[in-house]
C-alpha cells in the first residue's frame, strides 16, 4: 500500500553506530526542506576509561524534583485565583444589580431623641429609640473612639471600607478553629449594616454590606463615619449610642467617661446583650481588660494608664433606670403625642418637675418602706406634689422603678378612705352648714350598713370641724345622707376627681377608687383660694435649635369654690394637722389636710397643703394585702412632713387662703330628742341630680355667694331641713367587719 511504502523506518541500534551506517540512514542539512531543530551533537568525548552504556532507551523521561511540583502548584493556584476572581465579580454584579441605584442612596435619619429636663435644667431622662442625644466626636470622651477602634477595627483609618487583611484573618481562623472567632467586618461595614440592611446572615447581605461600606467611604470622612457609628450602635440593655449607654451604665454623660469605662463600653460591641454589665458584670469586666490591652499594644495608652485603669475598674449604676424620675419621663411620653403629634427630630421637653424635690420625695418613700416594710407589711408608696398653678413639682410612682415601671401615682386606683371626706363636708357647707354645726357622733345604721369609727370610739355631740379633724365616720355618713350622694359626687368632680364615682352613701367613707394624682389635684383649689387649674407636667417643647413646638400658656383655671367655703374648709382641715389625725405632719407653716385609711389598712393616705404646695402620699401593697395597722396619720404623714419641710426651706411663710371666725353665721343645731329610728336611703331622699355640665366649668366671681355653687341652700339651717338622727339610732354598737360588698349588696 502507498502509506506502507511511504513510511520510513528508522531502526534502532543497541550499540554504537559507524559512519557508514550514519551515511546510509541520515539526511544532510542542505537536503532538508525545513531546517532541522535538532541541535548539532557535541563532539564526543573519549570513551576511554568509561564503561559502555547498556540498555539505554530513547523513551526514558527525566526525573521531576520538588521545584517542579511547587511550580505546578503555583500555576494552578494562579489559575484558580483568576477563576475565583471572575466568580466573585459575578456574584458582586449579580447582587449589586438587585440593589437600588447608588444615586438614590442616602443616610437615613437617626431615630429622634427626646431629651426631658426638669424646671431647674437638670436632665430627667432621654427617651426614644436611641435613648440618648447625638454627641459629636469632639464632645465625647476621647477614650471612647480610641477603645472602639482598638478592639473592633485597628486599621480603620487606613482601609477603604473593606479590609482584605481582616477578612483573610477571619477566614483563616474559621478553618483552623472550625468556627468564626474573629470578625471580618470593619466599622464602616457595621455602620452600613445598621443603616441600610437587615441582620440576615446571607451572602447577599454581606455583598451589599461591602458595596454600601465602600460608598460610605466615598461620601463621608473617616471621622464622620466613626461619629455616626458611635451614635447609633447598640450597647445592650436598650441603649443605642454612646450617650445612652454612658447614662445607662454609669449614670453620667459620655463627655465624662473614664478610660476604664470607655473600655467597658467598647467591649460590649462584640455581644451587647450577653456582655452587658447589667446581666454579667464579670464577663463585661474581663472583656474590658482585653480592650485595655489592645489599646496599649497599639500605643494609644501607656503602661501607667493601663495599670491605673486595671486598678480602678468602671463603676456602674445599680440597675436600669432605677430613678423615680423615670415615672415622670413615662408620663411625659404618654402626653407628648397629643401635644405635638409624631416626633420627627430631636426635641427638648421642659417639664415642671423640680429634680431636687423629686430626689427628696424618692428618698423619703424608699427610706420608710425599707425601715418598715417587714414590720408593717408595706412594700409600695407614691407621692405627688402640685403647686397652685397645677404644675406637678414631684411625682414618685413607686418604691423602685427598676423593679416595677407601673406608675402608682397616676395609674393606680385605690380607695381613698377618709381622705375623700372633704368633698362630703364641702357639699354640706355649700348647703348652708358651718364648721360650728353640731352632729351627734354615735353608732348609726343605714339599712344594714353600720359605719363605725376607727377603734369603735364615739364622741357624742361634736362640731363639724371636730368631726373632720378626728375623721369620725358616723358624722360623715350622716352628712352624706343629708346632702345626698349625688351632691357629693358633683362636688368631687367639680374639684378635679376624674374617676367614676358611685353615688351611694358609702362614698362618704371613700369607697370609690381614685388615683393619687387626681386626689391631690382635687385638693389644689383649697390651697389656691378656690380655683381649679389645669394639672400639667410639660411646660414647653422645643427643637434642639430652639424652635418652640408647644408651650403651656394656660392661665388660672375656673373658680370652683366660693371664698367663704374655702375659708371654712381650710379652718376645718387645719384642725386635722394641729390636733387631729395628722399631727405628725405639722411643721412651721400653716398647713391643712386630711388622712385616709381604707378597710383593714389596705391603703393609707395623707393629702395636705400649704399656701405654696399641695402634696398627696399613699402607702400600701400592689396585691391589696392589708398592712399592719398603718393609718394615714403614720407613714404617709411622716413622708409628707419630710418632703414639705425640704420644699419650703427658704420660702417666706404664707397663710392659707380664706378665713372663717368661729361662731360666725347661723349655728346648725342638731336635734337629738327625736325617737330612735333606723335609717335607710329612703329616710333622706337623695338630692336631685345636678344638671350635666363640664367638670370645672363653673366660674364664680370673688364676691359671689356660696349659694351659687352646688345645690341651693335650704331655708332652714337645722340639719339642712332634714331630720337629724339621735345618738341612740341603731342601738348599741356592734363591732363587726363590714365590707364594701356588704354595702353594695345591702347585707
Amino acid at each position: 500500500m502507498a502509506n506502507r511504502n511511504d513510511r520510513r523506518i528508522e531502526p534502532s541500534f543497541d550499540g554504537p553506530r559507524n559512519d557508514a551506517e550514519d551515511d546510509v540512514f541520515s539526511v544532510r542539512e542542505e537536503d532538508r526542506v525545513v531546517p532541522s531543530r535538532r541541535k548539532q551533537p557535541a563532539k564526543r568525548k573519549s570513551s576511554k576509561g568509561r564503561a559502555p552504556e547498556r540498555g539505554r532507551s530513547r523513551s526514558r523521561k527525566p526525573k521531576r524534583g520538588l521545584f517542579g511540583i511547587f511550580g505546578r502548584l503555583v500555576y494552578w493556584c494562579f489559575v484558580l485565583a483568576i477563576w475565583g476572581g471572575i466568580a466573585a465579580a459575578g456574584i458582586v454584579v449579580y447582587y449589586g444589580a438587585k440593589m437600588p441605584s447608588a444615586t438614590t442612596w442616602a443616610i437615613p435619619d437617626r431615630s429622634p431623641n427626646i431629651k426631658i429636663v426638669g424646671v431647674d435644667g437638670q436632665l430627667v431622662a432621654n427617651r426614644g429609640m436611641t435613648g440618648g442625644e447625638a454627641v459629636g466626636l469632639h464632645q465625647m470622651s476621647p477614650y471612647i473612639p480610641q477603645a472602639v477602634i482598638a478592639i473592633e477595627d485597628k486599621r480603620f483609618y487606613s482601609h477603604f471600607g473593606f479590609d482584605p487583611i481582616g477578612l483573610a484573618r477571619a477566614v483563616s481562623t474559621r478553618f483552623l478553629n472550625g468556627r468564626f472567632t474573629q470578625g471580618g467586618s470593619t466599622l464602616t461595614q457595621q455602620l452600613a449594616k445598621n443603616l441600610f440592611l437587615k441582620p440576615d446572615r446571607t451572602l447577599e447581605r454581606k455583598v451589599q454590606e461591602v458595596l454600601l461600606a465602600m460608598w460610605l467611604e466615598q461620601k463621608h470622612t473617616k471621622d464622620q463615619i466613626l461619629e455616626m457609628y458611635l451614635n447609633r450602635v447598640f450597647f445592650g440593655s436598650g441603649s443605642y449610642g454612646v450617650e445612652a449607654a454612658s447614662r445607662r451604665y454609669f449614670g453620667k454623660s459620655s463627655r465624662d467617661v473614664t478610660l476604664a469605662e470607655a473600655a467597658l463600653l467598647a467591649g460590649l460591641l462584640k455581644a451587647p446583650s450577653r456582655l452587658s454589665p447589667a446581666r454579667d458584670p464579670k464577663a463585661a469586666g474581663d472583656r474590658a481588660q482585653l480592650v485595655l490591652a489592645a489599646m496599649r499594644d497599639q500605643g494609644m495608652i501607656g503602661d501607667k494608664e493601663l495599670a491605673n485603669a486595671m486598678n480602678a475598674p468602671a463603676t456602674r449604676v445599680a440597675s436600669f433606670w432605677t430613678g423615680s424620675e423615670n415615672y415622670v419621663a413615662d408620663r411625659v411620653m404618654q402626653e407628648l403625642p397629643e401635644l405635638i403629634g409624631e416626633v420627627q427630630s430631636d426635641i427638648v421637653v421642659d417639664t415642671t418637675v423640680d429634680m431636687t424635690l423629686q430626689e427628696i420625695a424618692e428618698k423619703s418613700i424608699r427610706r420608710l418602706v425599707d425601715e418598715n416594710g417587714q414590720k408593717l407589711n408595706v412594700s409600695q408608696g407614691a407621692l405627688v406634689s402640685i403647686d397652685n398653678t397645677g404644675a406637678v413639682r414631684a411625682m414618685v410612682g413607686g418604691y423602685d422603678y427598676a423593679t416595677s415601671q407601673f406608675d402608682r401615682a397616676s395609674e393606680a386606683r385605690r380607695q381613698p378612705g377618709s381622705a375623700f371626706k372633704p368633698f362630703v363636708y364641702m357639699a354640706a357647707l355649700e348647703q348652708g352648714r358651718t364648721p360650728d354645726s353640731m352632729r351627734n357622733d354615735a353608732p348609726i345604721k343605714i339599712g344594714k350598713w353600720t359605719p363605725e369609727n376607727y377603734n369603735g370610739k364615739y364622741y357624742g355631740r361634736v362640731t363639724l370641724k371636730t368631726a373632720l379633724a378626728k375623721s369620725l365616720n358616723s358624722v360623715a355618713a350622716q352628712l352624706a345622707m343629708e346632702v345626698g350622694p349625688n351632691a357629693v359626687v358633683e362636688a368631687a368632680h367639680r374639684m378635679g376627681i376624674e374617676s367614676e364615682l358611685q353615688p351611694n352613701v358609702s362614698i362618704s367613707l371613700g369607697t370609690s377608687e381614685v388615683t393619687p394624682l387626681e386626689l391631690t389635684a382635687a385638693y389644689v383649689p383649697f390651697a389656691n383660694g378656690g380655683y381649679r387649674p389645669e394639672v400639667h407636667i410639660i411646660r414647653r417643647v422645643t427643637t434642639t435649635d430652639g424652635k418652640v413646638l408647644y408651650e403651656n400658656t394656660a392661665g388660672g383655671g375656673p373658680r370652683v369654690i366660693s371664698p367663704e367655703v374655702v375659708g371654712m374648709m381650710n379652718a376645718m382641715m387645719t384642725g386635722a394637722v394641729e390636733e387631729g389625725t395628722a399631727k405628725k405632719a405639722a411643721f412651721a407653716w400653716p398647713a391643712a389636710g386630711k388622712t385616709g385609711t381604707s378597710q383593714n389598712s389596705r391603703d393609707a393616705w395623707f393629702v395636705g397643703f400649704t399656701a405654696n404646695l399641695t402634696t398627696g402620699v399613699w402607702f400600701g401593697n400592689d396585691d391589696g394585702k392589708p398592712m399592719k395597722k398603718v393609718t394615714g396619720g403614720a407613714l404617709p404623714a411622716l413622708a409628707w412632713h419630710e418632703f414639705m419641710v425640704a420644699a419650703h426651706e427658704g420660702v417666706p411663710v404664707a397663710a392659707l387662703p380664706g378665713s372663717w371666725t368661729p361662731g360666725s353665721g347661723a349655728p346648725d343645731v342638731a336635734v337629738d330628742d327625736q325617737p330612735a329610728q333606723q335609717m335607710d336611703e329612703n329616710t333622706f331622699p337623695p338630692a336631685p341630680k345636678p344638671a350635666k355640665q363640664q367638670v370645672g366649668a363653673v366660674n364664680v366671681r370673688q364676691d359671689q355667694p356660696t349659694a351659687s355653687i352646688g345645690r341651693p341652700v335650704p331655708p332652714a339651717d337645722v340639719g339642712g331641713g332634714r331630720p337629724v338622727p339621735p345618738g341612740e339610732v341603731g342601738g348599741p354598737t356592734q363591732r363587726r367587719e363590714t365590707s364594701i360588698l356588704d354595702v353594695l349588696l345591702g347585707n
Side-chain angles (χ1 to χ4, degrees):
M1 294 179 67
N3 291 338
R4 180 181 301 175
N5 295 334
D6 292 343
R7 189 170 63 181
R8 181 180 179 183
I9 301 176
E10 295 185 1
S12 82
F13 296 88
D14 293 334
R17 291 179 294 181
N18 56 31
D19 293 341
E21 291 170 340
D22 290 340
D23 291 338
V24 173
F25 294 103
S26 64
V27 179
R28 289 177 298 186
E29 289 296 327
E30 57 266 27
D31 295 332
R32 293 180 181 272
V33 178
V34 179
S36 175
R37 295 179 182 178
R38 187 171 57 184
K39 294 183 180 180
Q40 293 296 328
K43 291 184 179 181
R44 293 181 181 179
K45 293 184 180 180
S46 174
S47 58
K48 186 178 181 180
R50 296 180 56 187
E53 298 180 5
R54 296 183 182 182
R56 185 175 180 178
S57 175
R58 295 178 67 249
S59 62
R60 187 175 179 181
K61 296 181 180 180
K63 296 181 179 180
R64 292 174 183 167
L66 182 62
F67 180 79
I69 297 175
F70 180 75
R72 295 182 68 82
L73 181 62
V74 171
Y75 168 77
W76 284 111
C77 287
F78 180 72
V79 172
L80 291 175
I82 292 176
W83 283 108
I86 294 173
I91 292 174
V92 170
V93 171
Y94 174 74
Y95 288 123
K98 297 174 68 175
M99 300 176 64
S101 172
T103 57
T104 65
W105 295 355
I107 301 295
D109 292 334
R110 177 178 175 272
S111 297
N113 178 67
I114 301 168
K115 183 179 181 180
I116 305 171
V117 297
V119 71
D120 49 1
Q122 293 189 48
L123 178 68
V124 173
N126 282 296
R127 290 295 169 90
M129 283 297 295
T130 57
E133 60 182 313
V135 182
L137 200 62
H138 64 285
Q139 295 175 307
M140 66 183 70
S141 168
Y143 293 124
I144 295 177
Q146 289 177 355
V148 171
I149 290 174
I151 198 66
E152 289 290 317
D153 190 0
K154 64 182 179 181
R155 282 180 291 276
F156 173 73
Y157 281 103
S158 61
H159 63 63
F160 47 89
F162 167 65
D163 186 6
I165 299 176
L167 181 61
R169 184 186 67 249
V171 172
S172 64
T173 56
R174 167 68 175 85
F175 284 108
L176 292 175
N177 301 325
R179 60 188 180 89
F180 283 106
T181 58
Q182 297 184 17
S185 296
T186 64
L187 292 180
T188 313
Q189 287 177 255
Q190 294 179 42
L191 177 62
K193 178 178 65 177
N194 293 338
L195 290 177
F196 303 105
L197 303 174
K198 297 179 180 179
D200 301 328
R201 302 178 69 87
T202 62
L203 179 60
E204 178 180 359
R205 198 270 297 165
K206 196 67 178 178
V207 171
Q208 293 175 346
E209 176 185 299
V210 171
L211 294 176
L212 289 166
M214 296 174 68
W215 174 79
L216 284 171
E217 293 277 350
Q218 293 295 321
K219 291 291 184 180
H220 301 278
T221 66
K222 289 286 187 179
D223 285 349
Q224 288 174 334
I225 292 172
L226 184 59
E227 182 177 303
M228 283 190 288
Y229 175 82
L230 292 175
N231 278 295
R232 297 170 187 251
V233 69
F234 181 56
F235 284 93
S237 297
S239 303
Y240 290 83
V242 291
E243 182 67 13
S246 299
R247 294 192 179 277
R248 161 66 184 89
Y249 295 119
F250 314 125
K252 64 171 69 172
S253 170
S254 60
R255 298 167 175 84
D256 305 319
V257 165
T258 65
L259 172 59
E261 293 165 345
L264 188 145
L265 291 178
L268 297 178
L269 298 177
K270 180 181 180 181
S273 298
R274 178 171 59 84
L275 294 175
S276 169
R279 175 179 179 179
D280 193 342
K282 184 179 184 304
D286 293 343
R287 178 69 177 171
Q289 292 186 6
L290 293 177
V291 176
L292 291 170
M295 295 178 72
R296 192 268 313 275
D297 293 342
Q298 296 173 41
M300 295 178 177
I301 60 174
D303 292 337
K304 184 177 180 180
E305 291 175 295
L306 175 65
N308 291 337
M310 291 285 193
N311 294 329
T315 57
R316 62 186 183 90
V317 294
S319 55
F320 179 44
W321 283 354
T322 186
S324 65
E325 66 273 8
N326 289 288
Y327 292 113
V328 175
D330 287 350
R331 180 75 181 185
V332 168
M333 296 301 293
Q334 291 176 12
E335 296 183 1
L336 204 55
E338 297 181 3
L339 301 180
I340 64 171
E342 184 180 357
V343 179
Q344 301 290 343
S345 61
D346 286 7
I347 60 173
V348 179
V349 180
D350 293 303
T351 70
T352 60
V353 172
D354 187 323
M355 284 299 292
T356 301
L357 297 182
Q358 183 74 21
E359 292 174 4
I360 293 171
E362 178 183 358
K363 289 179 180 178
S364 180
I365 296 294
R366 290 178 69 95
R367 181 183 63 81
L368 289 171
V369 172
D370 288 338
E371 293 177 356
N372 301 279
Q374 292 185 349
K375 180 175 61 177
L376 300 178
N377 191 34
V378 55
S379 61
Q380 286 292 349
L383 183 149
V384 179
S385 188
I386 306 173
D387 71 12
N388 289 339
T389 68
V392 177
R393 295 303 183 188
M395 188 175 76
V396 178
Y399 171 78
D400 183 13
Y401 184 87
T403 303
S404 171
Q405 289 80 52
F406 178 64
D407 183 6
R408 295 152 192 84
S410 64
E411 297 177 341
R413 285 183 164 80
R414 307 296 291 250
Q415 290 184 353
S418 295
F420 193 84
K421 288 178 181 176
F423 309 119
V424 178
Y425 282 78
M426 187 186 89
L429 296 182
E430 288 180 339
Q431 292 190 13
R433 296 156 187 82
T434 72
D436 283 336
S437 297
M438 302 294 294
R439 291 296 179 270
N440 192 18
D441 177 39
I444 63 171
K445 184 179 292 184
I446 302 175
K448 294 184 179 181
W449 176 47
T450 304
E452 299 178 354
N453 290 343
Y454 184 72
N455 288 333
K457 187 176 181 179
Y458 295 87
Y459 293 84
R461 291 171 54 84
V462 293
T463 64
L464 296 188
K465 183 177 186 297
T466 300
L468 183 59
K470 294 185 179 297
S471 194
L472 303 180
N473 292 339
S474 169
V475 176
Q478 293 176 42
L479 292 177
M481 290 293 290
E482 292 175 20
V483 302
N486 283 323
V488 176
V489 170
E490 187 276 331
H493 280 160
R494 188 181 355 127
M495 293 289 284
I497 298 294
E498 297 177 349
S499 296
E500 182 180 357
L501 302 175
Q502 298 299 322
N504 51 43
V505 182
S506 67
I507 196 175
S508 60
L509 305 188
T511 55
S512 291
E513 296 176 339
V514 296
T515 69
L517 179 61
E518 62 181 323
L519 183 61
T520 304
Y523 274 60
V524 171
F526 296 133
N528 67 12
Y531 300 90
R532 177 188 171 183
E534 177 188 352
V535 177
H536 60 284
I537 201 169
I538 298 176
R539 291 192 302 121
R540 183 173 55 248
V541 181
T542 61
T543 61
T544 53
D545 56 5
K547 180 182 177 181
V548 178
L549 303 178
Y550 165 81
E551 189 163 13
N552 188 309
T553 57
R559 176 177 283 282
V560 290
I561 332 174
S562 71
E564 292 81 4
V565 173
V566 170
M568 287 189 286
M569 286 299 302
N570 287 347
M572 296 170 71
M573 287 191 285
T574 298
V577 176
E578 294 178 348
E579 58 187 6
T581 57
K583 289 187 289 186
K584 293 180 180 178
F587 71 114
W589 270 62
K594 186 69 189 73
T595 58
T597 309
S598 66
Q599 190 178 30
N600 295 331
S601 292
R602 289 186 174 90
D603 306 277
W605 301 74
F606 178 63
V607 184
F609 53 91
T610 65
N612 179 50
L613 213 55
T614 302
T615 301
V617 183
W618 167 87
F619 279 92
N621 296 302
D622 288 337
D623 57 5
K625 289 184 178 179
M627 296 176 286
K628 294 180 180 178
K629 297 184 178 180
V630 176
T631 64
L635 298 183
L638 291 174
W640 188 92
H641 172 90
E642 186 173 337
F643 175 82
M644 294 293 272
V645 167
H648 288 77
E649 185 176 353
V651 180
V653 177
L656 290 170
S659 62
W660 173 79
T661 304
S664 62
D668 180 20
V669 181
V671 179
D672 58 1
D673 56 353
Q674 297 180 9
Q677 60 179 323
Q678 178 169 319
M679 298 184 297
D680 56 29
E681 295 197 16
N682 294 321
T683 304
F684 299 153
K689 192 171 183 178
K692 189 174 183 179
Q693 60 181 352
Q694 185 178 358
V695 175
V698 180
N699 286 276
V700 182
R701 297 192 308 271
Q702 188 73 16
D703 56 351
Q704 199 166 351
T706 304
S708 64
I709 302 178
R711 299 175 56 221
V713 178
D717 193 53
V718 179
R722 297 178 175 184
V724 179
E728 64 272 16
V729 169
T733 303
Q734 296 181 358
R735 297 296 307 278
R736 71 182 186 90
E737 296 293 336
T738 305
S739 67
I740 301 305
L741 186 61
D742 292 333
V743 175
L744 298 178
L745 297 178
N747 297 327

